[in-house]
mmCIF file of all heavy atoms in Angstrom:
data_model
loop_
_atom_site.group_PDB
_atom_site.id
_atom_site.type_symbol
_atom_site.label_atom_id
_atom_site.label_comp_id
_atom_site.label_asym_id
_atom_site.label_seq_id
_atom_site.Cartn_x
_atom_site.Cartn_y
_atom_site.Cartn_z
ATOM 1 N N ALA G 17 -19.547 5.662 -15.548
ATOM 2 C CA ALA G 17 -19.779 4.502 -14.690
ATOM 3 C C ALA G 17 -18.481 3.760 -14.405
ATOM 4 O O ALA G 17 -18.236 3.326 -13.273
ATOM 5 C CB ALA G 17 -20.790 3.555 -15.335
ATOM 6 N N LEU G 18 -17.633 3.618 -15.409
ATOM 7 C CA LEU G 18 -16.355 2.944 -15.212
ATOM 8 C C LEU G 18 -15.473 3.702 -14.234
ATOM 9 O O LEU G 18 -14.840 3.112 -13.366
ATOM 10 C CB LEU G 18 -15.611 2.807 -16.544
ATOM 11 C CG LEU G 18 -16.157 1.803 -17.522
ATOM 12 C CD1 LEU G 18 -15.424 1.911 -18.845
ATOM 13 C CD2 LEU G 18 -16.057 0.410 -16.973
ATOM 14 N N THR G 19 -15.454 5.013 -14.365
ATOM 15 C CA THR G 19 -14.606 5.824 -13.498
ATOM 16 C C THR G 19 -15.034 5.689 -12.048
ATOM 17 O O THR G 19 -14.217 5.439 -11.170
ATOM 18 C CB THR G 19 -14.646 7.300 -13.932
ATOM 19 O OG1 THR G 19 -14.253 7.371 -15.295
ATOM 20 C CG2 THR G 19 -13.733 8.147 -13.080
ATOM 21 N N SER G 20 -16.319 5.802 -11.772
ATOM 22 C CA SER G 20 -16.778 5.710 -10.390
ATOM 23 C C SER G 20 -16.650 4.293 -9.853
ATOM 24 O O SER G 20 -16.304 4.098 -8.693
ATOM 25 C CB SER G 20 -18.225 6.195 -10.265
ATOM 26 O OG SER G 20 -19.089 5.375 -11.015
ATOM 27 N N ALA G 21 -16.891 3.284 -10.670
ATOM 28 C CA ALA G 21 -16.763 1.899 -10.215
ATOM 29 C C ALA G 21 -15.314 1.532 -9.945
ATOM 30 O O ALA G 21 -15.008 0.825 -8.986
ATOM 31 C CB ALA G 21 -17.361 0.938 -11.247
ATOM 32 N N ALA G 22 -14.404 2.020 -10.776
ATOM 33 C CA ALA G 22 -12.988 1.708 -10.597
ATOM 34 C C ALA G 22 -12.444 2.326 -9.318
ATOM 35 O O ALA G 22 -11.582 1.761 -8.662
ATOM 36 C CB ALA G 22 -12.177 2.191 -11.799
ATOM 37 N N VAL G 23 -12.962 3.480 -8.932
ATOM 38 C CA VAL G 23 -12.521 4.114 -7.694
ATOM 39 C C VAL G 23 -13.069 3.368 -6.491
ATOM 40 O O VAL G 23 -12.396 3.230 -5.475
ATOM 41 C CB VAL G 23 -12.973 5.596 -7.678
ATOM 42 C CG1 VAL G 23 -12.734 6.229 -6.324
ATOM 43 C CG2 VAL G 23 -12.257 6.367 -8.760
ATOM 44 N N ALA G 24 -14.287 2.853 -6.597
ATOM 45 C CA ALA G 24 -14.944 2.230 -5.460
ATOM 46 C C ALA G 24 -14.416 0.836 -5.131
ATOM 47 O O ALA G 24 -14.450 0.415 -3.992
ATOM 48 C CB ALA G 24 -16.445 2.155 -5.710
ATOM 49 N N GLN G 25 -13.940 0.069 -6.120
ATOM 50 C CA GLN G 25 -13.525 -1.310 -5.914
ATOM 51 C C GLN G 25 -12.239 -1.584 -6.678
ATOM 52 O O GLN G 25 -11.922 -0.888 -7.626
ATOM 53 C CB GLN G 25 -14.591 -2.276 -6.455
ATOM 54 C CG GLN G 25 -15.942 -2.139 -5.827
ATOM 55 C CD GLN G 25 -16.914 -3.123 -6.462
ATOM 56 O OE1 GLN G 25 -16.514 -4.194 -6.905
ATOM 57 N NE2 GLN G 25 -18.168 -2.773 -6.523
ATOM 58 N N PRO G 26 -11.510 -2.646 -6.298
ATOM 59 C CA PRO G 26 -10.359 -3.044 -7.105
ATOM 60 C C PRO G 26 -10.805 -3.381 -8.524
ATOM 61 O O PRO G 26 -11.877 -3.925 -8.734
ATOM 62 C CB PRO G 26 -9.824 -4.287 -6.387
ATOM 63 C CG PRO G 26 -10.378 -4.206 -5.006
ATOM 64 C CD PRO G 26 -11.681 -3.459 -5.112
ATOM 65 N N ALA G 27 -9.985 -3.058 -9.509
ATOM 66 C CA ALA G 27 -10.358 -3.212 -10.914
ATOM 67 C C ALA G 27 -10.753 -4.630 -11.274
ATOM 68 O O ALA G 27 -11.750 -4.841 -11.951
ATOM 69 C CB ALA G 27 -9.221 -2.751 -11.813
ATOM 70 N N ALA G 28 -9.995 -5.632 -10.855
ATOM 71 C CA ALA G 28 -10.293 -7.015 -11.242
ATOM 72 C C ALA G 28 -11.637 -7.461 -10.676
ATOM 73 O O ALA G 28 -12.433 -8.087 -11.369
ATOM 74 C CB ALA G 28 -9.189 -7.949 -10.796
ATOM 75 N N ALA G 29 -11.913 -7.148 -9.429
ATOM 76 C CA ALA G 29 -13.181 -7.553 -8.819
ATOM 77 C C ALA G 29 -14.347 -6.858 -9.502
ATOM 78 O O ALA G 29 -15.391 -7.454 -9.745
ATOM 79 C CB ALA G 29 -13.177 -7.234 -7.332
ATOM 80 N N THR G 30 -14.206 -5.597 -9.826
ATOM 81 C CA THR G 30 -15.251 -4.837 -10.494
ATOM 82 C C THR G 30 -15.537 -5.414 -11.872
ATOM 83 O O THR G 30 -16.683 -5.634 -12.236
ATOM 84 C CB THR G 30 -14.835 -3.363 -10.631
ATOM 85 O OG1 THR G 30 -14.547 -2.856 -9.342
ATOM 86 C CG2 THR G 30 -15.932 -2.543 -11.259
ATOM 87 N N ALA G 31 -14.509 -5.669 -12.646
ATOM 88 C CA ALA G 31 -14.674 -6.152 -14.017
ATOM 89 C C ALA G 31 -15.372 -7.501 -14.055
ATOM 90 O O ALA G 31 -16.174 -7.759 -14.941
ATOM 91 C CB ALA G 31 -13.323 -6.247 -14.705
ATOM 92 N N GLN G 32 -15.092 -8.359 -13.106
ATOM 93 C CA GLN G 32 -15.666 -9.700 -13.121
ATOM 94 C C GLN G 32 -17.146 -9.702 -12.785
ATOM 95 O O GLN G 32 -17.880 -10.569 -13.223
ATOM 96 C CB GLN G 32 -14.923 -10.598 -12.136
ATOM 97 C CG GLN G 32 -13.506 -10.878 -12.561
ATOM 98 C CD GLN G 32 -12.738 -11.656 -11.521
ATOM 99 O OE1 GLN G 32 -13.300 -12.152 -10.565
ATOM 100 N NE2 GLN G 32 -11.440 -11.755 -11.695
ATOM 101 N N SER G 33 -17.628 -8.732 -12.019
ATOM 102 C CA SER G 33 -19.000 -8.789 -11.533
ATOM 103 C C SER G 33 -19.933 -7.768 -12.163
ATOM 104 O O SER G 33 -21.122 -7.821 -11.936
ATOM 105 C CB SER G 33 -19.000 -8.598 -10.017
ATOM 106 O OG SER G 33 -18.446 -7.334 -9.695
ATOM 107 N N ASP G 34 -19.458 -6.830 -12.940
ATOM 108 C CA ASP G 34 -20.279 -5.756 -13.469
ATOM 109 C C ASP G 34 -20.711 -6.043 -14.904
ATOM 110 O O ASP G 34 -19.875 -6.156 -15.793
ATOM 111 C CB ASP G 34 -19.500 -4.437 -13.414
ATOM 112 C CG ASP G 34 -20.395 -3.241 -13.620
ATOM 113 O OD1 ASP G 34 -21.377 -3.355 -14.371
ATOM 114 O OD2 ASP G 34 -20.108 -2.191 -13.033
ATOM 115 N N PRO G 35 -22.040 -6.138 -15.146
ATOM 116 C CA PRO G 35 -22.517 -6.429 -16.505
ATOM 117 C C PRO G 35 -22.334 -5.262 -17.475
ATOM 118 O O PRO G 35 -22.537 -5.419 -18.664
ATOM 119 C CB PRO G 35 -24.003 -6.736 -16.290
ATOM 120 C CG PRO G 35 -24.363 -6.013 -15.036
ATOM 121 C CD PRO G 35 -23.120 -6.031 -14.181
ATOM 122 N N GLU G 36 -21.941 -4.095 -16.991
ATOM 123 C CA GLU G 36 -21.716 -2.941 -17.853
ATOM 124 C C GLU G 36 -20.446 -3.086 -18.687
ATOM 125 O O GLU G 36 -20.274 -2.395 -19.668
ATOM 126 C CB GLU G 36 -21.621 -1.661 -17.020
ATOM 127 C CG GLU G 36 -22.898 -1.301 -16.315
ATOM 128 C CD GLU G 36 -23.967 -0.797 -17.272
ATOM 129 O OE1 GLU G 36 -23.631 -0.077 -18.228
ATOM 130 O OE2 GLU G 36 -25.136 -1.155 -17.063
ATOM 131 N N TYR G 37 -19.524 -3.944 -18.266
ATOM 132 C CA TYR G 37 -18.257 -4.090 -18.983
ATOM 133 C C TYR G 37 -18.436 -4.948 -20.211
ATOM 134 O O TYR G 37 -19.208 -5.898 -20.220
ATOM 135 C CB TYR G 37 -17.188 -4.667 -18.067
ATOM 136 C CG TYR G 37 -16.859 -3.731 -16.931
ATOM 137 C CD1 TYR G 37 -16.959 -4.137 -15.624
ATOM 138 C CD2 TYR G 37 -16.467 -2.421 -17.185
ATOM 139 C CE1 TYR G 37 -16.674 -3.273 -14.582
ATOM 140 C CE2 TYR G 37 -16.183 -1.554 -16.154
ATOM 141 C CZ TYR G 37 -16.292 -1.981 -14.861
ATOM 142 O OH TYR G 37 -16.012 -1.120 -13.846
ATOM 143 N N PHE G 38 -17.681 -4.591 -21.252
ATOM 144 C CA PHE G 38 -17.851 -5.232 -22.544
ATOM 145 C C PHE G 38 -16.499 -5.310 -23.229
ATOM 146 O O PHE G 38 -15.892 -4.282 -23.520
ATOM 147 C CB PHE G 38 -18.834 -4.382 -23.371
ATOM 148 C CG PHE G 38 -19.072 -4.882 -24.756
ATOM 149 C CD1 PHE G 38 -19.908 -5.963 -24.980
ATOM 150 C CD2 PHE G 38 -18.475 -4.268 -25.838
ATOM 151 C CE1 PHE G 38 -20.139 -6.416 -26.262
ATOM 152 C CE2 PHE G 38 -18.700 -4.712 -27.127
ATOM 153 C CZ PHE G 38 -19.538 -5.791 -27.331
ATOM 154 N N VAL G 39 -16.007 -6.527 -23.457
ATOM 155 C CA VAL G 39 -14.748 -6.730 -24.167
ATOM 156 C C VAL G 39 -14.977 -7.845 -25.187
ATOM 157 O O VAL G 39 -15.379 -8.945 -24.815
ATOM 158 C CB VAL G 39 -13.597 -7.099 -23.210
ATOM 159 C CG1 VAL G 39 -12.297 -7.271 -23.975
ATOM 160 C CG2 VAL G 39 -13.444 -6.060 -22.112
ATOM 161 N N SER G 40 -14.745 -7.541 -26.458
ATOM 162 C CA SER G 40 -14.939 -8.530 -27.522
ATOM 163 C C SER G 40 -13.919 -8.327 -28.629
ATOM 164 O O SER G 40 -13.432 -7.221 -28.857
ATOM 165 C CB SER G 40 -16.338 -8.416 -28.130
ATOM 166 O OG SER G 40 -17.304 -8.980 -27.284
ATOM 167 N N LEU G 41 -13.626 -9.425 -29.318
ATOM 168 C CA LEU G 41 -12.771 -9.414 -30.500
ATOM 169 C C LEU G 41 -13.625 -9.830 -31.691
ATOM 170 O O LEU G 41 -14.601 -10.567 -31.538
ATOM 171 C CB LEU G 41 -11.598 -10.367 -30.311
ATOM 172 C CG LEU G 41 -10.676 -10.046 -29.133
ATOM 173 C CD1 LEU G 41 -9.631 -11.134 -28.952
ATOM 174 C CD2 LEU G 41 -10.021 -8.687 -29.305
ATOM 175 N N TYR G 42 -13.232 -9.374 -32.910
ATOM 176 C CA TYR G 42 -14.024 -9.621 -34.114
ATOM 177 C C TYR G 42 -13.129 -10.116 -35.247
ATOM 178 O O TYR G 42 -11.999 -9.663 -35.390
ATOM 179 C CB TYR G 42 -14.739 -8.333 -34.548
ATOM 180 C CG TYR G 42 -15.717 -7.841 -33.510
ATOM 181 C CD1 TYR G 42 -15.294 -7.034 -32.462
ATOM 182 C CD2 TYR G 42 -17.055 -8.207 -33.562
ATOM 183 C CE1 TYR G 42 -16.179 -6.592 -31.492
ATOM 184 C CE2 TYR G 42 -17.951 -7.777 -32.597
ATOM 185 C CZ TYR G 42 -17.515 -6.967 -31.560
ATOM 186 O OH TYR G 42 -18.397 -6.542 -30.608
ATOM 187 N N THR G 43 -13.688 -10.989 -36.075
ATOM 188 C CA THR G 43 -12.914 -11.547 -37.191
ATOM 189 C C THR G 43 -12.697 -10.549 -38.314
ATOM 190 O O THR G 43 -11.777 -10.704 -39.106
ATOM 191 C CB THR G 43 -13.598 -12.803 -37.761
ATOM 192 O OG1 THR G 43 -14.936 -12.460 -38.166
ATOM 193 C CG2 THR G 43 -13.620 -13.937 -36.747
ATOM 194 N N GLY G 44 -13.517 -9.515 -38.399
ATOM 195 C CA GLY G 44 -13.371 -8.507 -39.441
ATOM 196 C C GLY G 44 -12.875 -7.182 -38.888
ATOM 197 O O GLY G 44 -12.856 -6.970 -37.676
ATOM 198 N N PRO G 45 -12.484 -6.280 -39.777
ATOM 199 C CA PRO G 45 -12.077 -4.944 -39.328
ATOM 200 C C PRO G 45 -13.293 -4.140 -38.868
ATOM 201 O O PRO G 45 -14.441 -4.488 -39.191
ATOM 202 C CB PRO G 45 -11.444 -4.331 -40.576
ATOM 203 C CG PRO G 45 -12.108 -5.031 -41.711
ATOM 204 C CD PRO G 45 -12.392 -6.429 -41.230
#
Side-chain angles (χ1 to χ4, degrees):
L18 288 173
T19 303
S20 63
V23 171
Q25 301 179 30
T30 303
Q32 292 175 10
S33 61
D34 194 327
E36 295 288 322
Y37 295 124
F38 178 78
V39 181
S40 284
L41 300 174
Y42 298 85
T43 57

